[in-house]
Amino acid sequence: MKKMRYLRVAAAVAAAAVALSLTACNTPATEGEDDVILIGFATKFPVDFFDIMADAAKAWDEAEPGAEVIFAQGESGTDDEGMIAAIQSFVTQGVDAIAITPTSPALADELQKAVDAGIEVILIDNDIPDWDGKTAVVTTDNYVGGQLAGTWLSENLPEGATIAILQGVLGNPSLDARVDGMLDTLGDAAEVVATVPTDCDQTKGLDAGQDIITANPGLTAIYAACGPPLLGALEAVKSAGLSGLITVGFDASPDEVAAILAGDQTASVAQFPAKMGELGVKAAFDAASGVDIPDLIDTGTEMVTIENAADFQ
C-alpha cells in the first residue's frame, strides 16, 4: 500500500518551531521515489467540510502513483500560526507543491518564501486576492453562492421581514463575498437588524444567536456565511422555543443537511468540498509537473432545501 503522511498542526506552535505528529503509517523514503512529486496539503481545522476535502485528496493520492501527499490541519479558522508552521514544515521536507486553504492574507509572506524556493502554491476554498505568487485558486465562487442565497431569501421572505447576518472571519475575502453577494440580491426584501462576526465558530454562533433573538423580537430570518455558526444559532432558536424562523447557512455540511431534513434549518448554499480536495491536489500535481492549469478553477454552488436535501446526504 502506498505510504501516506499526516501532520497535525498544534495551535500554540511558535513561528520558529513546528510541533507536528506523523501518523503511524509514515515510513522513510524508499529507493525509486525520487521521481515522485511531493505535495503538502493543509486544511484550516477539523470540521466536516475540511475533513471531506482532505478525504478526497487522500483518495486521489492513493490512486496516483506519481504523487505523495503530506497532510496537515490547523486548529481553528483563524489559526494563522498553525498554517504558517505547516508551510514551513512542507518547505523543510522539500515539497514540490503546496495546496492549502489559507486562514487569512497573513500567510502570504510565508507562501511567497515557498514560491521563491521553487514550490507551486495552489489556494483552495478561498483566495488571497492581493498576493500574486499563487499558481491557481480552486474554490467556490463565493459571491455567486451569496447571490443564490439572497435570491432565494428575496423570493421566500414575507413582506416587512427582518434578517440577522452571522458573518464569518472578517477580512476573509471568500467569507465576506458570501455576505456581499447575499445583500446584493436580497435588495429591499428585508431589513438587516444585526450583523455579527463569528469566526465560523459554532459556539460564537450560539452566543450571537442568543443575543440577536433577545434584541430582536419577531425576527424573521438568520443568514450565516458558514455552517458552524448557523448550527450554533439553531441551538439558540430551539432554546428560545421559536418556530417559523427562516435560517439559511452556507456549506451544506452533513450536520446542516440533517438539520434541513429534520425541519430545524430552512436552507443552505452547498459547496462541494470533495471536488475542491480532488481538484486542488490534482492542480498542485499538474503545476509541479509543468502542466498549464487555469488561474481559477470554480467548483460550483447549489441551493439546498427540504426538496433536494436528501441528494446531499
Side-chain angles (χ1 to χ4, degrees):
M1 179 180 174
K2 182 178 177 180
K3 75 174 185 177
M4 183 177 295
R5 290 186 278 176
Y6 194 98
L7 310 179
R8 178 68 65 180
V9 182
V13 67
V18 180
L20 302 169
S21 61
L22 303 182
T23 56
C25 57
N26 180 27
T27 57
T30 57
E31 186 177 352
E33 289 186 346
D34 291 345
D35 294 332
V36 170
I37 290 175
L38 186 62
I39 301 167
F41 189 97
T43 52
K44 292 179 186 176
F45 62 116
V47 292
D48 284 334
F49 184 82
F50 295 114
D51 290 344
I52 291 169
M53 188 185 296
D55 286 345
K58 290 174 186 177
W60 179 91
D61 183 31
E62 288 284 0
E64 176 50 69
E68 179 189 350
V69 184
I70 307 168
F71 292 87
Q73 193 168 70
E75 298 292 333
S76 74
T78 57
D79 185 13
D80 290 344
E81 192 175 40
M83 288 289 95
I84 288 170
I87 296 164
Q88 291 172 339
S89 178
F90 290 156
V91 172
T92 298
Q93 294 181 76
V95 299
D96 302 294
I98 293 172
I100 187 169
T101 61
T103 42
S104 83
L107 273 59
D109 288 347
E110 205 64 42
L111 288 170
Q112 185 59 50
K113 292 177 185 176
V115 171
D116 292 343
I119 297 169
E120 303 284 348
V121 173
I122 306 297
L123 303 183
I124 304 176
D125 186 36
N126 51 274
D127 191 10
I128 303 177
D130 295 330
W131 179 57
D132 296 329
K134 65 216 168 200
T135 303
V137 182
V138 178
T139 185
T140 299
D141 188 326
N142 289 282
Y143 182 79
V144 169
Q147 286 183 309
L148 273 180
T151 298
W152 187 92
L153 284 161
S154 70
E155 294 172 350
N156 288 275
L157 289 173
E159 186 175 351
T162 56
I163 188 169
I165 299 172
L166 302 181
Q167 299 164 299
V169 180
L170 292 184
N172 181 297
S174 296
L175 299 175
D176 290 346
R178 297 175 187 179
V179 175
D180 293 341
M182 188 279 290
L183 290 173
D184 286 348
T185 51
L186 178 69
D188 58 3
E191 176 190 358
V192 177
V193 294
T195 304
V196 183
T198 65
D199 293 332
C200 287
D201 180 84
Q202 186 163 336
T203 300
K204 291 182 180 180
L206 169 60
D207 294 340
Q210 290 171 333
D211 292 343
I212 289 166
I213 290 168
T214 299
N216 299 277
L219 181 70
T220 311
I222 296 175
Y223 170 72
C226 33
L230 187 66
L231 294 171
L234 292 178
E235 296 178 50
V237 171
K238 185 175 181 179
S239 296
L242 298 180
S243 61
L245 186 67
I246 293 173
T247 51
V248 178
F250 203 114
D251 284 341
S253 68
D255 286 342
E256 281 192 274
V257 172
I260 292 171
L261 289 169
D264 297 326
Q265 181 173 331
T266 313
S268 186
V269 178
Q271 300 190 87
F272 299 96
K275 189 182 291 187
M276 287 186 200
E278 179 181 353
L279 295 181
V281 73
K282 183 179 185 302
F285 178 78
D286 286 344
S289 302
V291 176
D292 288 336
I293 60 174
D295 295 338
L296 176 64
I297 300 172
D298 182 7
T299 52
T301 53
E302 186 173 345
M303 203 71 194
V304 180
T305 64
I306 190 64
E307 285 79 15
N308 64 345
D311 297 335
F312 289 83
Q313 286 182 297

